[in-house]
Amino acid sequence: MVSDDTHFRVYRPGEMLIRQGSSDQSLFIILAGTVSITEGTGETIFAVLRAGDIFGEMAFLTDTRRTANVVARDAVIALKLDRVRFEQLSARIREKFKDKIIEKLVARLDTANKELVRINAAVSDRFPEPSKPIGSPPGRPAADATEPAFISGRELIRKIVSDTASLPAMPEVMLKVQQMIKHPGTSPAQLSKIIETDPAMVTGILKVANSAYYGFRGKVSTIQHASSLFGTRRLAELITAMSAGGVLGMAMGGYGLKAGDMWRHSIAVACTAGEIASSVSAEAYDSAYMAGLLHDVGKIILDPFVQERSVLFDHYFAAHPDKPLQDAERDILGFDHAVIAGILCDNWNLPRSISFGIRHHHQPSSAGGHQLSHIVHLADYISVQAGLGAGGKAACHVLDETSSAAVSLGSNFLQTAADKAHHYVESLTGRLLGS
Protein backbone atom coordinates (compact mmCIF):
# COMPACT_ATOMS: atom_id res chain seq x y z
CA MET A 1 0.00 0.00 0.00
CA VAL A 2 2.88 2.35 0.77
CA SER A 3 4.00 2.01 -2.83
CA ASP A 4 0.62 3.26 -4.03
CA ASP A 5 1.15 6.90 -3.10
CA THR A 6 -1.99 8.05 -4.92
CA HIS A 7 -3.95 7.12 -1.78
CA PHE A 8 -1.93 9.38 0.50
CA ARG A 9 -3.56 12.76 1.03
CA VAL A 10 -2.31 16.07 2.42
CA TYR A 11 -4.90 18.42 3.96
CA ARG A 12 -4.47 22.09 4.81
CA PRO A 13 -5.55 23.51 8.21
CA GLY A 14 -9.33 23.99 8.15
CA GLU A 15 -9.84 21.62 5.21
CA MET A 16 -12.66 19.09 5.60
CA LEU A 17 -11.78 15.40 5.27
CA ILE A 18 -15.33 14.15 5.87
CA ARG A 19 -18.59 16.07 5.60
CA GLN A 20 -21.56 15.08 7.74
CA GLY A 21 -24.33 13.45 5.67
CA SER A 22 -22.08 12.57 2.73
CA SER A 23 -22.18 9.09 1.18
CA ASP A 24 -18.38 8.76 0.91
CA GLN A 25 -17.30 5.45 2.48
CA SER A 26 -13.53 5.78 2.70
CA LEU A 27 -11.54 4.86 5.76
CA PHE A 28 -8.75 7.19 6.96
CA ILE A 29 -5.56 6.60 8.93
CA ILE A 30 -3.81 9.72 10.25
CA LEU A 31 -0.05 9.66 9.62
CA ALA A 32 0.71 13.20 10.82
CA GLY A 33 -1.24 16.14 12.25
CA THR A 34 -4.56 16.33 14.11
CA VAL A 35 -8.23 16.49 13.12
CA SER A 36 -11.40 17.64 14.94
CA ILE A 37 -14.63 15.61 14.99
CA THR A 38 -17.56 18.04 14.91
CA GLU A 39 -21.28 18.05 14.24
CA GLY A 40 -23.53 20.49 12.37
CA THR A 41 -21.95 23.92 12.00
CA GLY A 42 -18.75 22.75 13.67
CA GLU A 43 -19.01 24.89 16.80
CA THR A 44 -18.91 21.84 19.08
CA ILE A 45 -15.82 19.58 19.05
CA PHE A 46 -16.54 16.01 20.16
CA ALA A 47 -12.98 14.68 19.89
CA VAL A 48 -9.50 15.37 18.54
CA LEU A 49 -7.70 12.53 16.72
CA ARG A 50 -3.95 12.29 16.18
CA ALA A 51 -1.35 10.31 14.25
CA GLY A 52 -2.12 6.59 14.44
CA ASP A 53 -5.88 7.05 14.84
CA ILE A 54 -8.38 5.50 12.42
CA PHE A 55 -11.69 7.13 11.55
CA GLY A 56 -14.49 6.63 9.05
CA GLU A 57 -14.64 2.89 9.66
CA MET A 58 -18.40 2.75 10.35
CA ALA A 59 -19.38 4.06 6.92
CA PHE A 60 -16.58 1.96 5.41
CA LEU A 61 -18.02 -1.22 6.92
CA THR A 62 -21.77 -0.54 6.91
CA ASP A 63 -22.40 1.62 3.80
CA THR A 64 -24.08 4.31 5.93
CA ARG A 65 -23.84 8.07 5.53
CA ARG A 66 -21.36 10.10 7.56
CA THR A 67 -22.61 11.13 11.02
CA ALA A 68 -20.06 13.88 11.73
CA ASN A 69 -17.61 16.32 10.14
CA VAL A 70 -13.85 15.74 10.27
CA VAL A 71 -11.74 18.88 9.86
CA ALA A 72 -7.94 19.28 9.76
CA ARG A 73 -6.71 21.33 12.73
CA ASP A 74 -3.24 21.71 11.22
CA ALA A 75 -1.43 20.22 8.23
CA VAL A 76 -2.56 16.59 8.05
CA ILE A 77 -1.16 13.64 6.13
CA ALA A 78 -3.57 10.71 5.95
CA LEU A 79 -3.95 7.43 4.13
CA LYS A 80 -7.38 7.35 2.45
CA LEU A 81 -8.59 3.85 1.71
CA ASP A 82 -11.73 3.26 -0.38
CA ARG A 83 -13.64 -0.01 -0.76
CA VAL A 84 -12.37 -0.69 -4.29
CA ARG A 85 -8.73 -0.34 -3.25
CA PHE A 86 -9.39 -2.44 -0.16
CA GLU A 87 -10.77 -5.34 -2.21
CA GLN A 88 -7.60 -5.28 -4.36
CA LEU A 89 -5.40 -6.00 -1.34
CA SER A 90 -4.26 -9.50 -0.53
CA ALA A 91 -6.41 -11.55 1.84
CA ARG A 92 -3.66 -11.39 4.46
CA ILE A 93 -3.52 -7.59 4.42
CA ARG A 94 -7.32 -7.30 4.42
CA GLU A 95 -7.48 -9.49 7.52
CA LYS A 96 -4.86 -7.33 9.26
CA PHE A 97 -6.91 -4.23 8.50
CA LYS A 98 -10.10 -5.88 9.71
CA ASP A 99 -8.36 -6.93 12.95
CA LYS A 100 -7.22 -3.37 13.58
CA ILE A 101 -10.68 -1.96 12.84
CA ILE A 102 -12.23 -4.51 15.19
CA GLU A 103 -9.76 -3.46 17.91
CA LYS A 104 -10.90 0.16 17.51
CA LEU A 105 -14.58 -0.79 17.56
CA VAL A 106 -14.10 -2.97 20.64
CA ALA A 107 -12.34 -0.08 22.41
CA ARG A 108 -15.24 2.24 21.57
CA LEU A 109 -17.76 -0.38 22.64
CA ASP A 110 -15.89 -0.75 25.91
CA THR A 111 -16.10 3.01 26.43
CA ALA A 112 -19.83 2.93 25.67
CA ASN A 113 -20.33 0.04 28.08
CA LYS A 114 -18.51 1.91 30.84
CA GLU A 115 -20.82 4.87 30.24
CA LEU A 116 -23.87 2.59 30.46
CA VAL A 117 -22.56 1.10 33.71
CA ARG A 118 -22.03 4.61 35.10
CA ILE A 119 -25.56 5.68 34.12
CA ASN A 120 -27.06 2.49 35.54
CA ALA A 121 -25.17 3.06 38.76
CA ALA A 122 -26.53 6.60 38.83
CA VAL A 123 -30.11 5.37 38.61
CA SER A 124 -29.94 2.19 40.66
CA ASP A 125 -30.06 1.54 44.36
CA ARG A 126 -26.47 1.35 45.54
CA PHE A 127 -27.29 0.16 49.06
CA PRO A 128 -27.94 -3.59 48.86
CA GLU A 129 -27.98 -4.29 52.59
CA PRO A 130 -31.66 -4.21 53.64
CA SER A 131 -30.77 -4.00 57.33
CA LYS A 132 -29.43 -0.48 56.85
CA PRO A 133 -31.55 2.59 56.14
CA ILE A 134 -31.26 3.74 52.53
CA GLY A 135 -28.72 6.52 52.41
CA SER A 136 -26.49 5.27 55.25
CA PRO A 137 -22.81 5.89 54.48
CA PRO A 138 -20.55 2.80 54.33
CA GLY A 139 -19.53 1.67 57.81
CA ARG A 140 -22.31 3.52 59.60
CA PRO A 141 -24.30 1.32 62.01
CA ALA A 142 -28.01 0.94 61.40
CA ALA A 143 -30.03 3.60 63.16
CA ASP A 144 -33.12 3.00 65.23
CA ALA A 145 -36.51 2.53 63.64
CA THR A 146 -37.51 6.16 64.12
CA GLU A 147 -34.88 7.43 61.65
CA PRO A 148 -36.41 8.22 58.22
CA ALA A 149 -35.46 5.97 55.30
CA PHE A 150 -34.64 8.24 52.34
CA ILE A 151 -35.16 7.24 48.73
CA SER A 152 -32.09 7.19 46.50
CA GLY A 153 -30.73 6.05 43.15
CA ARG A 154 -33.25 5.29 40.40
CA GLU A 155 -36.23 6.13 42.58
CA LEU A 156 -34.89 9.57 43.52
CA ILE A 157 -33.95 10.44 39.91
CA ARG A 158 -37.42 9.37 38.79
CA LYS A 159 -38.96 11.63 41.44
CA ILE A 160 -36.82 14.59 40.35
CA VAL A 161 -37.49 14.13 36.63
CA SER A 162 -41.22 13.48 37.07
CA ASP A 163 -41.64 16.63 39.15
CA THR A 164 -41.09 18.98 36.21
CA ALA A 165 -42.17 21.96 38.30
CA SER A 166 -38.99 21.53 40.35
CA LEU A 167 -36.77 21.82 37.26
CA PRO A 168 -35.82 25.47 36.80
CA ALA A 169 -36.40 26.99 33.37
CA MET A 170 -33.50 28.48 31.45
CA PRO A 171 -33.60 32.27 31.99
CA GLU A 172 -35.50 33.85 29.09
CA VAL A 173 -32.70 36.29 28.28
CA MET A 174 -30.12 33.48 28.18
CA LEU A 175 -32.41 31.44 25.92
CA LYS A 176 -32.81 34.34 23.47
CA VAL A 177 -29.05 34.95 23.36
CA GLN A 178 -28.28 31.26 22.75
CA GLN A 179 -30.75 31.19 19.87
CA MET A 180 -29.35 34.37 18.33
CA ILE A 181 -25.66 33.49 18.45
CA LYS A 182 -26.34 30.31 16.49
CA HIS A 183 -26.76 32.59 13.48
CA PRO A 184 -23.41 33.87 12.14
CA GLY A 185 -24.91 37.19 11.08
CA THR A 186 -25.98 38.27 14.58
CA SER A 187 -24.58 41.71 15.40
CA PRO A 188 -23.87 43.46 18.73
CA ALA A 189 -26.68 45.91 17.89
CA GLN A 190 -29.19 43.05 17.75
CA LEU A 191 -28.02 41.73 21.11
CA SER A 192 -28.23 45.19 22.63
CA LYS A 193 -31.99 45.23 21.95
CA ILE A 194 -32.32 42.32 24.40
CA ILE A 195 -30.37 44.24 27.03
CA GLU A 196 -32.49 47.37 26.63
CA THR A 197 -35.63 45.48 27.75
CA ASP A 198 -34.07 44.89 31.19
CA PRO A 199 -33.04 48.02 33.17
CA ALA A 200 -31.00 45.93 35.64
CA MET A 201 -29.12 44.35 32.74
CA VAL A 202 -28.42 47.79 31.26
CA THR A 203 -26.95 48.97 34.58
CA GLY A 204 -24.91 45.80 34.95
CA ILE A 205 -23.42 45.89 31.44
CA LEU A 206 -22.44 49.55 31.82
CA LYS A 207 -20.80 48.88 35.20
CA VAL A 208 -18.81 45.99 33.76
CA ALA A 209 -17.87 47.98 30.66
CA ASN A 210 -16.41 50.70 32.89
CA SER A 211 -14.48 48.25 35.09
CA ALA A 212 -10.69 48.05 35.06
CA TYR A 213 -10.84 44.58 33.47
CA TYR A 214 -11.94 45.98 30.11
CA GLY A 215 -9.96 49.21 30.32
CA PHE A 216 -12.86 51.54 29.46
CA ARG A 217 -13.14 53.03 32.95
CA GLY A 218 -15.56 55.98 32.96
CA LYS A 219 -15.79 56.14 29.16
CA VAL A 220 -18.89 54.07 28.37
CA SER A 221 -22.28 55.71 28.97
CA THR A 222 -24.65 53.95 26.55
CA ILE A 223 -25.50 50.35 25.71
CA GLN A 224 -24.87 51.07 22.03
CA HIS A 225 -21.33 52.20 22.86
CA ALA A 226 -20.74 49.16 25.10
CA SER A 227 -22.07 46.84 22.39
CA SER A 228 -19.73 48.22 19.76
CA LEU A 229 -16.73 47.90 22.10
CA PHE A 230 -17.43 44.35 23.24
CA GLY A 231 -18.37 42.72 19.94
CA THR A 232 -20.93 39.96 19.48
CA ARG A 233 -19.23 37.06 21.27
CA ARG A 234 -18.07 38.98 24.35
CA LEU A 235 -21.42 40.75 24.69
CA ALA A 236 -23.31 37.44 24.42
CA GLU A 237 -21.00 35.98 27.05
CA LEU A 238 -21.68 38.84 29.49
CA ILE A 239 -25.45 38.69 28.98
CA THR A 240 -25.38 34.93 29.55
CA ALA A 241 -23.29 35.22 32.71
CA MET A 242 -25.50 37.95 34.18
CA SER A 243 -28.78 36.23 33.36
CA ALA A 244 -27.43 33.02 34.90
CA GLY A 245 -26.98 34.90 38.17
CA GLY A 246 -30.71 34.55 38.83
CA VAL A 247 -30.39 30.76 38.76
CA LEU A 248 -26.87 30.28 40.14
CA GLY A 249 -26.79 33.14 42.65
CA MET A 250 -29.13 31.75 45.30
CA ALA A 251 -28.06 30.46 48.70
CA MET A 252 -28.05 26.67 49.14
CA GLY A 253 -28.28 25.53 52.74
CA GLY A 254 -27.77 21.85 51.94
CA TYR A 255 -24.41 22.55 50.32
CA GLY A 256 -23.47 25.29 52.78
CA LEU A 257 -23.32 27.98 50.07
CA LYS A 258 -24.17 31.63 50.63
CA ALA A 259 -25.92 33.75 47.99
CA GLY A 260 -23.52 34.40 45.11
CA ASP A 261 -20.99 31.69 46.06
CA MET A 262 -21.83 29.29 43.25
CA TRP A 263 -22.27 32.08 40.71
CA ARG A 264 -18.76 33.41 41.39
CA HIS A 265 -17.29 29.92 41.06
CA SER A 266 -19.29 29.21 37.90
CA ILE A 267 -18.13 32.45 36.29
CA ALA A 268 -14.52 31.57 37.12
CA VAL A 269 -14.88 28.08 35.62
CA ALA A 270 -16.60 29.52 32.51
CA CYS A 271 -13.78 32.04 31.99
CA THR A 272 -11.07 29.40 32.53
CA ALA A 273 -12.82 26.84 30.30
CA GLY A 274 -12.97 29.48 27.57
CA GLU A 275 -9.24 30.16 27.96
CA ILE A 276 -8.42 26.45 27.75
CA ALA A 277 -10.69 25.96 24.73
CA SER A 278 -9.13 28.94 22.94
CA SER A 279 -5.69 27.41 23.38
CA VAL A 280 -7.00 24.20 21.82
CA SER A 281 -9.42 25.46 19.18
CA ALA A 282 -11.12 28.82 18.65
CA GLU A 283 -14.41 27.23 17.60
CA ALA A 284 -14.68 25.36 20.92
CA TYR A 285 -14.82 28.57 22.99
CA ASP A 286 -18.59 29.15 23.16
CA SER A 287 -19.44 25.56 24.15
CA ALA A 288 -16.69 25.56 26.77
CA TYR A 289 -17.85 28.85 28.29
CA MET A 290 -21.47 27.64 28.56
CA ALA A 291 -20.46 24.22 29.95
CA GLY A 292 -18.22 25.90 32.53
CA LEU A 293 -20.97 28.30 33.55
CA LEU A 294 -23.54 25.51 34.07
CA HIS A 295 -21.29 22.69 35.32
CA ASP A 296 -22.70 22.80 38.89
CA VAL A 297 -26.31 23.69 38.08
CA GLY A 298 -27.44 20.26 39.32
CA LYS A 299 -26.77 21.41 42.89
CA ILE A 300 -29.77 23.74 42.67
CA ILE A 301 -32.10 20.75 42.23
CA LEU A 302 -30.33 18.47 44.70
CA ASP A 303 -29.96 21.06 47.49
CA PRO A 304 -33.24 20.24 49.33
CA PHE A 305 -32.43 16.50 49.18
CA VAL A 306 -28.92 17.12 50.52
CA GLN A 307 -30.35 19.36 53.24
CA GLU A 308 -32.82 16.75 54.51
CA ARG A 309 -29.93 14.24 54.62
CA SER A 310 -27.57 16.69 56.32
CA VAL A 311 -26.84 14.28 59.20
CA LEU A 312 -25.74 11.61 56.71
CA PHE A 313 -23.50 14.05 54.80
CA ASP A 314 -21.96 15.40 58.02
CA HIS A 315 -21.23 11.86 59.18
CA TYR A 316 -19.73 10.97 55.78
CA PHE A 317 -17.33 13.94 55.73
CA ALA A 318 -16.34 13.30 59.35
CA ALA A 319 -15.45 9.72 58.41
CA HIS A 320 -13.88 10.64 55.03
CA PRO A 321 -12.39 14.17 55.33
CA ASP A 322 -10.36 13.79 52.12
CA LYS A 323 -13.28 12.72 49.92
CA PRO A 324 -14.76 15.21 47.43
CA LEU A 325 -18.42 16.18 47.49
CA GLN A 326 -19.37 14.09 44.47
CA ASP A 327 -18.20 10.93 46.23
CA ALA A 328 -20.53 11.66 49.14
CA GLU A 329 -23.40 12.31 46.74
CA ARG A 330 -22.83 8.99 44.97
CA ASP A 331 -22.67 7.05 48.23
CA ILE A 332 -25.68 8.72 49.86
CA LEU A 333 -27.90 9.71 46.92
CA GLY A 334 -26.78 7.07 44.42
CA PHE A 335 -25.58 9.65 41.84
CA ASP A 336 -23.89 13.05 41.82
CA HIS A 337 -24.97 16.58 40.90
CA ALA A 338 -23.27 16.28 37.47
CA VAL A 339 -25.82 13.62 36.43
CA ILE A 340 -28.71 15.94 37.34
CA ALA A 341 -26.98 18.88 35.61
CA GLY A 342 -26.78 16.80 32.42
CA ILE A 343 -30.51 16.01 32.68
CA LEU A 344 -31.32 19.69 33.19
CA CYS A 345 -29.20 20.76 30.18
CA ASP A 346 -30.99 18.17 28.05
CA ASN A 347 -34.27 19.60 29.34
CA TRP A 348 -33.08 23.03 28.19
CA ASN A 349 -32.26 21.61 24.72
CA LEU A 350 -28.61 22.62 24.94
CA PRO A 351 -26.20 20.91 22.49
CA ARG A 352 -25.46 17.28 23.36
CA SER A 353 -21.75 17.97 23.74
CA ILE A 354 -22.43 20.51 26.52
CA SER A 355 -24.70 18.23 28.54
CA PHE A 356 -22.31 15.29 28.01
CA GLY A 357 -19.28 17.37 29.04
CA ILE A 358 -21.04 18.58 32.19
CA ARG A 359 -22.24 15.07 33.07
CA HIS A 360 -18.63 13.78 32.95
CA HIS A 361 -16.70 16.76 34.28
CA HIS A 362 -15.86 15.00 37.56
CA GLN A 363 -14.83 11.76 35.81
CA PRO A 364 -13.58 12.80 32.35
CA SER A 365 -11.62 9.57 31.94
CA SER A 366 -14.99 7.78 31.65
CA ALA A 367 -16.09 10.02 28.76
CA GLY A 368 -14.13 8.20 26.06
CA GLY A 369 -11.83 11.05 25.01
CA HIS A 370 -14.61 13.66 24.95
CA GLN A 371 -12.58 16.86 24.90
CA LEU A 372 -15.13 19.20 26.50
CA SER A 373 -15.35 16.90 29.56
CA HIS A 374 -11.59 17.32 30.08
CA ILE A 375 -11.74 21.09 29.50
CA VAL A 376 -14.48 21.63 32.12
CA HIS A 377 -12.72 19.30 34.57
CA LEU A 378 -9.43 21.22 34.24
CA ALA A 379 -11.20 24.60 34.46
CA ASP A 380 -12.99 23.50 37.64
CA TYR A 381 -9.73 22.25 39.16
CA ILE A 382 -7.75 25.39 38.22
CA SER A 383 -10.48 27.65 39.64
CA VAL A 384 -10.55 25.78 42.96
CA GLN A 385 -6.75 25.84 43.21
CA ALA A 386 -6.80 29.58 42.51
CA GLY A 387 -9.13 30.17 45.47
CA LEU A 388 -12.21 30.55 43.29
CA GLY A 389 -14.07 27.46 44.48
CA ALA A 390 -17.69 27.67 45.59
CA GLY A 391 -16.73 26.59 49.12
CA GLY A 392 -19.35 24.92 51.29
CA LYS A 393 -19.24 21.23 52.14
CA ALA A 394 -16.21 19.18 51.00
CA ALA A 395 -14.49 21.84 48.91
CA CYS A 396 -11.57 19.53 48.03
CA HIS A 397 -11.10 18.71 44.36
CA VAL A 398 -9.25 15.76 42.82
CA LEU A 399 -7.47 16.10 39.46
CA ASP A 400 -8.05 13.39 36.87
CA GLU A 401 -4.58 12.95 35.37
CA THR A 402 -6.01 11.86 32.01
CA SER A 403 -7.20 15.45 31.48
CA SER A 404 -3.65 16.79 31.64
CA ALA A 405 -2.70 14.34 28.90
CA ALA A 406 -5.83 14.99 26.81
CA VAL A 407 -5.48 18.79 26.83
CA SER A 408 -1.92 20.01 26.48
CA LEU A 409 -1.35 23.33 28.29
CA GLY A 410 1.79 25.43 28.41
CA SER A 411 3.89 25.73 31.57
CA ASN A 412 2.69 29.29 32.26
CA PHE A 413 -0.94 28.60 31.42
CA LEU A 414 -2.18 27.78 34.93
CA GLN A 415 -1.04 31.04 36.49
CA THR A 416 -2.17 33.14 33.52
CA ALA A 417 -5.60 31.48 33.50
CA ALA A 418 -5.98 31.88 37.27
CA ASP A 419 -5.09 35.59 37.07
CA LYS A 420 -7.59 36.16 34.24
CA ALA A 421 -10.30 34.31 36.15
CA HIS A 422 -9.71 36.46 39.25
CA HIS A 423 -9.98 39.69 37.25
CA TYR A 424 -12.97 38.42 35.27
CA VAL A 425 -14.90 37.43 38.41
CA GLU A 426 -14.09 40.79 39.99
CA SER A 427 -15.27 42.66 36.88
CA LEU A 428 -18.65 40.95 37.15
CA THR A 429 -19.35 40.18 40.79
CA GLY A 430 -17.34 43.01 42.31
CA ARG A 431 -19.44 45.54 40.44
CA LEU A 432 -22.77 43.77 40.63
CA LEU A 433 -22.73 42.22 44.09
CA GLY A 434 -20.52 44.72 45.85
CA SER A 435 -17.99 42.05 46.88
Side-chain angles (χ1 to χ4, degrees):
M1 290 196 64
V2 172
S3 65
D4 189 356
D5 59 4
T6 59
H7 286 79
F8 287 84
R9 298 283 186 270
V10 178
Y11 299 90
R12 298 184 302 276
E15 189 172 353
M16 191 168 286
L17 287 74
I18 291 178
R19 186 177 300 279
Q20 185 177 354
S22 70
S23 56
D24 171 67
Q25 292 165 349
S26 300
L27 175 144
F28 292 78
I29 303 172
I30 304 175
L31 304 177
T34 57
V35 300
S36 297
I37 310 298
T38 69
E39 188 178 59
T41 59
E43 17 181 78
T44 300
I45 296 178
F46 289 106
V48 174
L49 303 182
R50 296 173 170 80
D53 284 329
I54 296 173
F55 62 91
E57 71 280 359
M58 292 305 295
F60 182 80
L61 293 172
T62 62
D63 296 333
T64 55
R65 289 186 177 273
R66 301 297 193 180
T67 59
N69 300 313
V70 181
V71 182
R73 296 167 60 83
D74 43 31
V76 170
I77 302 174
L79 174 64
K80 183 178 181 182
L81 179 63
D82 57 37
R83 295 291 293 273
V84 174
R85 179 71 180 102
F86 183 75
E87 294 301 329
Q88 294 171 353
L89 298 173
S90 70
R92 185 175 63 85
I93 297 296
R94 288 203 305 273
E95 287 306 311
K96 283 183 175 289
F97 261 92
K98 287 177 181 178
D99 288 345
K100 184 57 66 175
I101 292 171
I102 288 171
E103 283 180 23
K104 292 286 184 182
L105 291 177
V106 167
R108 291 179 188 174
L109 181 60
D110 181 58
T111 297
N113 284 336
K114 287 178 181 176
E115 169 63 4
L116 285 174
V117 169
R118 177 176 139 76
I119 291 173
N120 285 334
V123 296
S124 64
D125 188 348
R126 297 179 62 183
F127 308 98
E129 297 179 48
S131 61
K132 293 184 179 181
I134 294 175
S136 295
R140 184 185 179 187
D144 61 47
T146 62
E147 183 176 331
F150 298 112
I151 63 171
S152 65
R154 179 188 294 110
E155 190 178 354
L156 180 54
I157 287 183
R158 188 180 295 117
K159 173 181 171 62
I160 291 170
V161 173
S162 63
D163 185 10
T164 54
S166 70
L167 299 178
M170 177 181 279
E172 186 178 354
V173 171
M174 187 191 295
L175 182 61
K176 286 181 181 177
V177 170
Q178 292 308 303
Q179 290 172 341
M180 290 180 70
I181 61 175
K182 288 180 182 177
H183 303 290
T186 299
S187 67
Q190 290 172 307
L191 288 174
S192 67
K193 292 185 187 225
I194 295 177
I195 304 170
E196 290 167 349
T197 64
D198 186 340
M201 184 76 72
V202 170
T203 302
I205 291 287
L206 290 178
K207 283 183 177 179
V208 172
N210 286 291
S211 70
Y213 182 79
Y214 288 103
F216 306 137
R217 190 186 293 274
K219 298 177 182 177
V220 184
S221 58
T222 67
I223 284 297
Q224 290 75 20
H225 188 196
S227 300
S228 64
L229 290 172
F230 283 132
T232 301
R233 190 177 81 175
R234 185 66 70 186
L235 185 60
E237 172 189 302
L238 288 173
I239 297 171
T240 300
M242 290 182 186
S243 60
V247 175
L248 303 174
M250 62 183 71
M252 283 176 269
Y255 286 102
L257 300 176
K258 301 188 293 294
D261 283 352
M262 192 167 77
W263 187 38
R264 290 184 183 91
H265 172 62
S266 299
I267 291 170
V269 175
C271 174
T272 307
E275 289 295 318
I276 296 172
S278 295
S279 72
V280 175
S281 170
E283 63 266 28
Y285 180 92
D286 293 330
S287 293
Y289 186 91
M290 180 62 82
L293 187 67
L294 300 178
H295 76 288
D296 274 349
V297 72
K299 290 181 180 178
I300 296 168
I301 299 172
L302 288 185
D303 185 63
F305 301 101
V306 172
Q307 192 157 14
E308 69 181 3
R309 296 162 176 78
S310 60
V311 173
L312 299 178
F313 276 90
D314 290 344
H315 181 276
Y316 186 96
F317 294 131
H320 309 285
D322 297 327
K323 291 278 191 180
L325 172 66
Q326 59 271 17
D327 282 5
E329 291 173 330
R330 293 183 199 118
D331 282 334
I332 297 173
L333 301 176
F335 53 88
D336 61 28
H337 61 272
V339 170
I340 298 300
I343 292 172
L344 183 56
C345 288
D346 288 337
N347 192 58
W348 286 349
N349 293 318
L350 289 175
R352 284 183 304 161
S353 181
I354 291 178
S355 61
F356 190 85
I358 289 174
R359 182 186 292 267
H360 290 274
H361 79 274
H362 284 306
Q363 295 177 313
S365 56
S366 68
H370 186 251
Q371 193 175 49
L372 188 57
S373 303
H374 291 291
I375 288 174
V376 178
H377 177 78
L378 286 170
D380 193 15
Y381 180 80
I382 291 170
S383 298
V384 171
Q385 296 305 306
L388 293 168
K393 292 183 176 179
C396 65
H397 196 89
V398 179
L399 177 66
D400 189 326
E401 295 296 341
T402 62
S403 293
S404 300
V407 181
S408 180
L409 302 174
S411 57
N412 296 325
F413 182 88
L414 295 183
Q415 188 58 51
T416 301
D419 290 343
K420 284 188 177 181
H422 271 288
H423 292 310
Y424 186 70
V425 170
E426 176 60 27
S427 75
L428 285 171
T429 61
R431 292 278 170 158
L432 302 181
L433 298 179
S435 63

